[in-house]
Amino acid sequence: MTDIDNGGRRSLAGLQDYRRYLRDITAIQAEAVRRLVDNDATPPMEMAAVLEDIANKFLDMSDEIRDFALASPEA
């Protein structure tokens, strides 16, 4: 995240950067799921693996957001 060091702008810039990152990641993941669903030949184990990867990414993002919020003076 961007490290702008003038008081409150630091967390605001970091949160805005992180929101852009979240939009990018979720768009990529949505496309991956769409392709899995549209392809009848996708093996079930591959579908399970992709969904597990997406779930783990969401858990990681949740942890990062929590850590960011706890470090923020507004939290």
Side-chain angles (χ1 to χ4, degrees):
M1 286 182 237
T2 303
D3 189 19
I4 299 174
D5 194 13
N6 17 338
R9 284 192 60 207
R10 177 180 172 188
S11 58
L12 179 61
L15 185 56
Q16 288 173 345
D17 289 343
Y18 201 80
R19 286 179 191 271
R20 276 191 293 274
Y21 167 73
L22 289 174
R23 280 191 291 273
D24 292 344
I25 291 295
T26 54
I28 292 166
Q29 291 172 338
E31 179 62 18
V33 170
R34 186 194 64 76
R35 289 180 184 193
L36 283 174
V37 171
D38 287 348
N39 185 353
D40 293 334
T42 303
M45 291 302 289
E46 185 177 333
M47 290 178 68
V50 170
L51 292 174
E52 182 179 1
D53 289 345
I54 290 171
N56 287 333
K57 185 62 180 172
F58 272 98
L59 290 171
D60 291 345
M61 290 185 304
S62 175
D63 289 342
E64 291 167 1
I65 292 168
R66 185 190 64 247
D67 293 345
F68 180 79
L70 292 174
S72 175
E74 295 92 32

